[in-house]
Amino acid sequence: MPTVHDLDTPSVLIDAARAEANIARAQAHADKNGLKLRPHIKTHKLPYWAKKQVAAGAVGITCQKIGEAEVMADAGLADIFLPYNILGRAKLERLLALHGRVTLSVTADSMETLEGLATTFTDAGHRLPVLVECDTGMGRCGVQSADEAVALARQIDRAGGLAFGGLMTYPAAGKAAEAEAWLADAKQALAASGLACERISSGGTPDMWRSSDTSVVTEYRPGTYIYLDRYQVAKGVGTLDDCALTVLSTVVSHPTATRAILDAGSKALSSDTLGLADFGELPGVPGARVTGLSEEHGTVTLSGDGKLRIGERVRVVPDHCCVVTNLFNEVNLVDGDKVLETLPVAARGRMG
């Protein structure tokens, strides 16, 4: 069996046991609180893990792009949610074809998006569920009020080939309570207008752990929970020992006693810090932080008792694992130093 010592650097390592444990933990929390889990594949982009998530109890998966959904459908995933405004004839035709293959649902937050869906999906015997996307504080997509949600839901309900599927949001981090109140008001407004709202879908890994069995949310779409990263650790979701994804790198230079250089720069670790002060840390090397990135160089600042040597291989826990996955064509499932399997990142680069 190959080992990590046989891999070139930089490479992505996925601790298989940690990822499995993270899947089980989240599913247990969802089950305890009466939530349906619909994991977002943006973090791993792998049918391998999507199937593991469904086998553990997830009701289906979430994809952000049609191309990602097509990859997952080809691999046998049968229930897919696309919480994204789909616009343009080419995309709508692909969406229609996908609707013929899997159980599909989508979102809309405007009449323009809805008109394209209504024109494309006309079969009253096989309606496409459309959820209304709601801006509950994130400041991205979504209707701005409960009244707007009701108005759009009514239009969906009137379209012959569409069905009102509920409400969807991606709340601002740390503002789950505000999102809860917004969605509760919208649900009440829908009921007053005669529209049932059986599905309310929310997302974001950190706030999932604050959910309870009294929440108006019925479905959760966590992504990062499967691997975790330094941002999630900072938010209290887990510890470094729970982080499944690391980037294997080599120390290629050591210009000063407190500065070393890795062969993993922004093209391997990403410059997306999510507000953290640096770009990653080296488990097992006390005080070692990745404090700077250029394209192919990662600067490690050493403090305390941490020591490195030129040629040494190290593992880096990144700030944001989702974007790191998207930088590599393949990842390596590992058990300690053993490489169990090397998998292509199948949905990477799939657009639409």
Side-chain angles (χ1 to χ4, degrees):
M1 178 177 288
T3 72
V4 295
H5 307 293
D6 300 313
L7 299 175
D8 202 355
T9 60
S11 294
V12 172
L13 308 180
I14 306 297
D15 187 305
R18 290 184 182 184
E20 295 264 15
N22 291 338
I23 290 172
R25 177 184 171 217
Q27 189 63 54
H29 173 81
D31 293 344
K32 177 182 177 182
N33 290 284
L35 282 171
K36 294 180 179 178
L37 208 62
R38 185 180 290 275
H40 206 310
I41 64 91
K42 70 185 179 74
T43 301
H44 55 73
K45 294 179 177 284
L46 296 170
Y48 176 90
W49 285 124
K51 290 179 179 180
K52 292 274 190 180
Q53 290 167 316
V54 171
V59 296
I61 61 170
T62 304
C63 299
Q64 206 71 358
K65 298 290 186 179
I66 298 174
E68 293 174 343
E70 289 167 339
V71 168
M72 295 296 157
D74 289 345
L77 279 302
D79 193 322
I80 301 175
F81 181 36
L82 273 167
Y84 204 87
N85 289 316
I86 306 298
L87 295 160
R89 179 50 42 199
K91 286 184 173 63
L92 288 166
E93 288 178 354
R94 289 168 64 195
L95 192 68
L96 181 61
L98 191 61
H99 183 50
R101 301 172 58 196
V102 301
T103 298
L104 183 68
S105 52
V106 300
T107 59
D109 72 351
S110 69
M111 281 303 302
E112 289 82 358
T113 298
L114 188 56
E115 286 169 1
L117 292 170
T119 300
T120 304
F121 295 83
T122 58
D123 185 355
H126 188 206
R127 296 174 183 265
L128 174 69
V130 181
L131 285 72
V132 175
E133 181 166 3
C134 307
D135 179 5
T136 58
M138 181 66 175
R140 199 165 59 186
C141 299
V143 298
Q144 298 298 298
S145 68
D147 287 344
E148 288 183 31
V150 171
L152 200 58
R154 284 174 173 165
Q155 292 298 320
I156 295 168
D157 191 54
R158 292 173 186 147
L162 306 179
F164 172 57
L167 302 175
M168 168 265 171
T169 191
Y170 187 85
K175 294 187 176 181
E178 291 88 336
E180 181 80 20
W182 200 109
L183 294 167
D185 287 346
K187 182 179 181 180
Q188 185 175 11
L190 286 164
S193 71
L195 286 172
C197 183
E198 297 180 358
R199 180 179 173 190
I200 299 181
S201 182
S202 189
T205 290
D207 286 331
M208 181 182 72
W209 304 102
R210 299 180 180 92
S211 58
S212 69
D213 58 6
T214 61
S215 173
V216 71
V217 172
T218 65
E219 173 184 280
Y220 222 88
R221 311 182 314 277
T224 317
Y225 81 100
I226 185 172
Y227 291 161
L228 298 183
D229 51 29
R230 291 185 77 229
Y231 175 78
Q232 299 297 330
V233 171
K235 292 297 181 180
V237 177
T239 69
L240 284 180
D241 290 336
D242 298 312
C243 292
L245 183 148
T246 55
V247 176
L248 182 68
S249 182
T250 300
V251 179
V252 294
S253 180
H254 209 319
T256 74
T258 59
R259 187 174 82 246
I261 305 297
L262 306 179
D263 63 353
S266 63
K267 291 181 178 178
L269 290 173
S270 169
S271 55
D272 187 1
T273 65
L274 293 173
L276 299 181
D278 38 46
F279 300 92
E281 66 181 280
L282 283 58
V285 186
R289 300 290 185 270
V290 181
T291 55
L293 296 177
S294 53
E295 290 185 44
E296 304 292 356
H297 298 81
T299 299
V300 176
T301 298
L302 295 161
S303 63
D305 296 329
K307 303 293 182 184
L308 293 173
R309 66 181 186 278
I310 294 174
E312 182 178 356
R313 290 180 162 217
V314 296
R315 302 188 189 193
V316 181
V317 178
D319 291 352
H320 191 185
C321 64
C322 304
V323 288
V324 170
T325 297
N326 199 51
L327 295 172
F328 287 83
N329 288 327
E330 61 186 27
V331 299
N332 303 280
L333 303 186
V334 300
D335 175 8
D337 285 345
K338 296 178 182 177
V339 177
L340 305 175
E341 191 171 357
T342 298
L343 300 173
V345 185
R348 177 178 183 257
R350 300 303 178 113
M351 306 304 290

